[in-house]
Amino acid sequence: MSDKKLIIANWKMNPATLKEAEHLFSSVDEGIEPNENLEVVICPPFVYLPPLVNLSKHNLAFGGQDCFWEKQGAYTGEISPSELKNLGCEYVVIGHSERKKYFQEDESMANKKLKAALASRLIPILCIGEEVRDDFDSEGRALGEINPVIAEQIEKALADINHTRVRDIVITYEPVWAISTTVDQKDCSFDEAMKAALFIRKILTKLYSRPIAEKVKIIYGGSVDSRNAVNYIKEANLDGVLVGRASLNASEFIKIAEKLT
Ligand code: PGA
């Protein structure tokens, strides 16, 4: 994988109409200059992929928000990695916490999806992260203990994925408690994100080796916006960001890309 920083837009189940999706996409596509240091990936709902790929000026890459592990067949409602690839996707999000919450997905499913995505030459964006932040000091900041759930999630999701394949996976540290937070909630601090990324690299070193662990891109997701994106990358020393809510606002998303340019 290249050394470019990654900005991934996860539109989730938005917007409500194709017209709005085309408008959002065109604004972002026109507003973001191609840049040799930056890869911008848009993950719209599946149904918008073909029309948006047609509109694309090729400044942006595409990703699916999920995929199934089989190639084809009687799996109602599912989308295969090769179908995504054939539509023009280069990436696919796997194991997002909302899949776990609403569809009871687990790490063994993420493992099968990862293998299938790699076999179709898609770059998997594997989401991991603890559900609750339960470790606070008197000021309400986390004490820096990394939840062991993260180690368990990585080990299960990467089971039987060898060192030549793991280099092609992007790991997103996405603490569930920090997703789409409101003003009265606390965001994940840059320090917490950095510690989690170091911890993830330690696990990868244990599972593979240090040189391999250093090649895996680790990005952050959870209430990223134009105000904090650059700090997650610079202060927390991460390889990119996964943006949900703020990616639905074209000017805000373009600002994130500008700050990282
Ligand atoms: P958020 O979503 O940026 O709205 O927190 C991130 C995500 O869930 O991928």
Side-chain angles (χ1 to χ4, degrees):
M1 215 186 305
S2 74
D3 289 335
K4 291 179 179 183
K5 296 290 182 205
L6 266 178
I7 306 182
I8 300 169
N10 178 12
W11 285 5
K12 308 191 181 185
M13 200 171 72
N14 298 295
T17 65
L18 174 59
K19 206 166 163 211
E20 289 168 281
E22 287 177 334
H23 184 258
L24 172 60
F25 179 80
S26 299
S27 312
V28 171
D29 200 20
E30 273 157 30
I32 294 181
E33 293 288 320
N35 180 331
E36 57 188 23
N37 301 316
L38 193 65
E39 169 100 324
V40 180
V41 185
I42 308 292
C43 302
F46 295 131
V47 287
Y48 299 149
L49 276 165
L52 299 189
V53 169
N54 274 340
L55 273 184
S56 167
K57 297 205 177 86
H58 308 294
N59 296 340
L60 313 172
F62 286 94
Q65 295 177 12
D66 183 31
C67 66
F68 192 51
W69 53 79
E70 295 291 347
K71 281 201 183 96
Q72 208 178 348
Y75 305 104
T76 303
E78 292 301 324
I79 311 274
S80 74
S82 55
E83 286 166 343
L84 288 175
K85 183 81 185 176
N86 291 337
L87 284 181
C89 289
E90 290 169 57
Y91 292 80
V92 61
V93 177
I94 289 177
H96 192 280
S97 59
E98 286 149 18
R99 301 294 313 169
K100 292 177 177 152
K101 179 173 173 192
Y102 298 111
F103 304 98
Q104 290 71 50
E105 290 197 9
D106 61 17
E107 264 52 60
S108 75
M109 294 183 193
N111 178 255
K112 290 197 238 177
K113 292 181 179 196
L114 275 180
K115 289 175 182 161
L118 288 167
S120 288
R121 308 223 160 276
L122 286 173
I123 299 174
I125 303 158
L126 173 67
C127 299
I128 51 141
E130 72 281 11
E131 276 194 31
V132 277
R133 182 208 217 177
D134 52 3
D135 195 10
F136 299 100
D137 65 14
S138 55
E139 318 244 66
R141 308 308 304 171
L143 291 172
E145 287 300 315
I146 307 291
N147 197 315
V149 150
I150 294 176
E152 202 184 309
Q153 288 177 345
I154 297 176
E155 284 169 17
K156 287 188 177 161
L158 297 184
D160 305 320
I161 292 178
N162 71 26
H163 62 280
T164 55
R165 306 318 302 271
V166 76
R167 285 182 293 204
D168 297 326
I169 296 174
V170 175
I171 297 186
T172 309
Y173 172 58
E174 204 166 63
V176 181
W177 50 267
I179 293 180
S180 296
T181 49
T182 49
V183 273
D184 54 334
Q185 294 169 302
K186 286 198 170 17
D187 290 345
C188 176
S189 71
F190 310 130
D191 191 49
E192 285 171 281
M194 182 180 67
K195 284 186 182 136
L198 289 173
F199 181 74
I200 292 166
R201 266 198 226 284
K202 213 161 103 188
I203 314 261
L204 293 172
T205 302
K206 189 183 95 188
L207 294 176
Y208 300 93
S209 67
R210 181 177 287 275
I212 299 291
E214 277 164 7
K215 287 207 167 74
V216 177
K217 279 199 171 142
I218 302 176
I219 68 172
Y220 170 77
S223 301
V224 172
D225 56 26
S226 63
R227 191 177 43 90
N228 60 26
V230 77
N231 295 329
Y232 280 117
I233 294 187
K234 297 208 169 129
E235 278 185 43
N237 198 21
L238 291 158
D239 299 306
V241 284
L242 176 58
V243 190
R245 187 175 46 194
S247 71
L248 297 171
N249 177 329
S251 61
E252 177 68 4
F253 191 67
I254 292 166
K255 250 193 243 165
I256 296 175
E258 281 168 356
K259 293 210 167 158
L260 295 177
T261 304

